[in-house]
PDB file of all heavy atoms in Angstrom:
ATOM      1  N   ILE A 492     -88.216-191.459-150.084  1.00 96.00           N
ATOM      2  CA  ILE A 492     -87.457-192.280-149.137  1.00 96.00           C
ATOM      3  C   ILE A 492     -86.838-193.389-149.968  1.00 96.00           C
ATOM      4  O   ILE A 492     -87.543-194.233-150.512  1.00 96.00           O
ATOM      5  CB  ILE A 492     -88.366-192.872-148.040  1.00 96.00           C
ATOM      6  CG1 ILE A 492     -89.043-191.744-147.253  1.00 96.00           C
ATOM      7  CG2 ILE A 492     -87.566-193.767-147.112  1.00 96.00           C
ATOM      8  CD1 ILE A 492     -90.083-192.236-146.252  1.00 96.00           C
ATOM      9  N   TYR A 493     -85.501-193.364-150.055  1.00 92.00           N
ATOM     10  CA  TYR A 493     -84.867-194.298-150.994  1.00 92.00           C
ATOM     11  C   TYR A 493     -83.498-194.716-150.479  1.00 92.00           C
ATOM     12  O   TYR A 493     -82.974-194.160-149.502  1.00 92.00           O
ATOM     13  CB  TYR A 493     -84.765-193.655-152.379  1.00 92.00           C
ATOM     14  CG  TYR A 493     -84.597-194.652-153.502  1.00 92.00           C
ATOM     15  CD1 TYR A 493     -85.491-195.707-153.650  1.00 92.00           C
ATOM     16  CD2 TYR A 493     -83.537-194.555-154.394  1.00 92.00           C
ATOM     17  CE1 TYR A 493     -85.335-196.639-154.662  1.00 92.00           C
ATOM     18  CE2 TYR A 493     -83.375-195.480-155.410  1.00 92.00           C
ATOM     19  CZ  TYR A 493     -84.281-196.525-155.534  1.00 92.00           C
ATOM     20  OH  TYR A 493     -84.124-197.464-156.524  1.00 92.00           O
ATOM     21  N   GLN A 494     -82.920-195.689-151.176  1.00 88.00           N
ATOM     22  CA  GLN A 494     -81.652-196.291-150.755  1.00 88.00           C
ATOM     23  C   GLN A 494     -80.562-195.240-150.578  1.00 88.00           C
ATOM     24  O   GLN A 494     -80.381-194.368-151.426  1.00 88.00           O
ATOM     25  CB  GLN A 494     -81.207-197.324-151.784  1.00 88.00           C
ATOM     26  CG  GLN A 494     -82.186-198.458-151.967  1.00 88.00           C
ATOM     27  CD  GLN A 494     -81.889-199.287-153.197  1.00 88.00           C
ATOM     28  OE1 GLN A 494     -80.946-199.025-153.932  1.00 88.00           O
ATOM     29  NE2 GLN A 494     -82.720-200.293-153.441  1.00 88.00           N
ATOM     30  N   VAL A 495     -79.831-195.381-149.493  1.00 90.00           N
ATOM     31  CA  VAL A 495     -78.839-194.372-149.135  1.00 90.00           C
ATOM     32  C   VAL A 495     -77.780-194.199-150.219  1.00 90.00           C
ATOM     33  O   VAL A 495     -77.378-193.069-150.524  1.00 90.00           O
ATOM     34  CB  VAL A 495     -78.197-194.711-147.770  1.00 90.00           C
ATOM     35  CG1 VAL A 495     -77.496-196.052-147.801  1.00 90.00           C
ATOM     36  CG2 VAL A 495     -77.241-193.619-147.332  1.00 90.00           C
ATOM     37  N   THR A 496     -77.321-195.292-150.830  1.00 85.00           N
ATOM     38  CA  THR A 496     -76.273-195.166-151.841  1.00 85.00           C
ATOM     39  C   THR A 496     -76.764-194.458-153.099  1.00 85.00           C
ATOM     40  O   THR A 496     -75.974-193.853-153.819  1.00 85.00           O
ATOM     41  CB  THR A 496     -75.726-196.545-152.235  1.00 85.00           C
ATOM     42  OG1 THR A 496     -76.817-197.427-152.530  1.00 85.00           O
ATOM     43  CG2 THR A 496     -74.896-197.137-151.121  1.00 85.00           C
ATOM     44  N   ALA A 497     -78.068-194.518-153.355  1.00 88.00           N
ATOM     45  CA  ALA A 497     -78.618-193.883-154.551  1.00 88.00           C
ATOM     46  C   ALA A 497     -78.784-192.377-154.385  1.00 88.00           C
ATOM     47  O   ALA A 497     -78.685-191.630-155.361  1.00 88.00           O
ATOM     48  CB  ALA A 497     -79.963-194.515-154.910  1.00 88.00           C
ATOM     49  N   VAL A 498     -79.043-191.930-153.160  1.00 94.00           N
ATOM     50  CA  VAL A 498     -79.327-190.504-152.956  1.00 94.00           C
ATOM     51  C   VAL A 498     -78.170-189.751-152.312  1.00 94.00           C
ATOM     52  O   VAL A 498     -78.091-188.515-152.427  1.00 94.00           O
ATOM     53  CB  VAL A 498     -80.606-190.302-152.104  1.00 94.00           C
ATOM     54  CG1 VAL A 498     -81.814-190.890-152.812  1.00 94.00           C
ATOM     55  CG2 VAL A 498     -80.459-190.911-150.722  1.00 94.00           C
ATOM     56  N   LEU A 499     -77.269-190.466-151.645  1.00 92.00           N
ATOM     57  CA  LEU A 499     -76.192-189.787-150.922  1.00 92.00           C
ATOM     58  C   LEU A 499     -75.312-188.897-151.803  1.00 92.00           C
ATOM     59  O   LEU A 499     -74.951-187.792-151.383  1.00 92.00           O
ATOM     60  CB  LEU A 499     -75.336-190.816-150.176  1.00 92.00           C
ATOM     61  CG  LEU A 499     -74.265-190.248-149.241  1.00 92.00           C
ATOM     62  CD1 LEU A 499     -74.878-189.303-148.220  1.00 92.00           C
ATOM     63  CD2 LEU A 499     -73.515-191.382-148.540  1.00 92.00           C
ATOM     64  N   PRO A 500     -74.937-189.319-153.027  1.00 93.00           N
ATOM     65  CA  PRO A 500     -74.128-188.425-153.858  1.00 93.00           C
ATOM     66  C   PRO A 500     -74.794-187.068-154.100  1.00 93.00           C
ATOM     67  O   PRO A 500     -74.115-186.031-154.120  1.00 93.00           O
ATOM     68  CB  PRO A 500     -73.973-189.205-155.164  1.00 93.00           C
ATOM     69  CG  PRO A 500     -74.125-190.635-154.769  1.00 93.00           C
ATOM     70  CD  PRO A 500     -75.150-190.625-153.678  1.00 93.00           C
ATOM     71  N   PHE A 501     -76.113-187.066-154.260  1.00 96.00           N
ATOM     72  CA  PHE A 501     -76.830-185.816-154.509  1.00 96.00           C
ATOM     73  C   PHE A 501     -76.945-184.975-153.236  1.00 96.00           C
ATOM     74  O   PHE A 501     -76.999-183.747-153.299  1.00 96.00           O
ATOM     75  CB  PHE A 501     -78.218-186.120-155.079  1.00 96.00           C
ATOM     76  CG  PHE A 501     -78.181-186.934-156.336  1.00 96.00           C
ATOM     77  CD1 PHE A 501     -78.616-188.253-156.343  1.00 96.00           C
ATOM     78  CD2 PHE A 501     -77.677-186.397-157.511  1.00 96.00           C
ATOM     79  CE1 PHE A 501     -78.570-189.016-157.496  1.00 96.00           C
ATOM     80  CE2 PHE A 501     -77.625-187.149-158.677  1.00 96.00           C
ATOM     81  CZ  PHE A 501     -78.068-188.467-158.664  1.00 96.00           C
ATOM     82  N   VAL A 502     -76.971-185.638-152.091  1.00 96.00           N
ATOM     83  CA  VAL A 502     -76.952-184.911-150.817  1.00 96.00           C
ATOM     84  C   VAL A 502     -75.606-184.212-150.649  1.00 96.00           C
ATOM     85  O   VAL A 502     -75.539-183.034-150.282  1.00 96.00           O
ATOM     86  CB  VAL A 502     -77.212-185.872-149.632  1.00 96.00           C
ATOM     87  CG1 VAL A 502     -77.000-185.152-148.300  1.00 96.00           C
ATOM     88  CG2 VAL A 502     -78.631-186.439-149.702  1.00 96.00           C
ATOM     89  N   LYS A 503     -74.532-184.931-150.943  1.00 94.00           N
ATOM     90  CA  LYS A 503     -73.192-184.354-150.807  1.00 94.00           C
ATOM     91  C   LYS A 503     -72.959-183.210-151.789  1.00 94.00           C
ATOM     92  O   LYS A 503     -72.205-182.273-151.503  1.00 94.00           O
ATOM     93  CB  LYS A 503     -72.136-185.445-150.996  1.00 94.00           C
ATOM     94  CG  LYS A 503     -72.107-186.451-149.855  1.00 94.00           C
ATOM     95  CD  LYS A 503     -71.018-187.487-150.052  1.00 94.00           C
ATOM     96  CE  LYS A 503     -70.925-188.424-148.852  1.00 94.00           C
ATOM     97  NZ  LYS A 503     -69.859-189.446-149.001  1.00 94.00           N
ATOM     98  N   GLU A 504     -73.619-183.275-152.952  1.00 96.00           N
ATOM     99  CA  GLU A 504     -73.497-182.205-153.945  1.00 96.00           C
ATOM    100  C   GLU A 504     -74.388-181.007-153.619  1.00 96.00           C
ATOM    101  O   GLU A 504     -74.299-179.976-154.294  1.00 96.00           O
ATOM    102  CB  GLU A 504     -73.869-182.737-155.332  1.00 96.00           C
ATOM    103  CG  GLU A 504     -72.882-183.757-155.894  1.00 96.00           C
ATOM    104  CD  GLU A 504     -73.396-184.410-157.170  1.00 96.00           C
ATOM    105  OE1 GLU A 504     -74.477-183.985-157.660  1.00 96.00           O
ATOM    106  OE2 GLU A 504     -72.736-185.332-157.675  1.00 96.00           O
TER     107      GLU A 504
END
Side-chain angles (χ1 to χ4, degrees):
I492 300 173
Y493 201 53
Q494 299 167 0
V495 60
T496 49
V498 298
L499 187 56
F501 303 110
V502 172
K503 291 182 176 181
E504 292 171 5

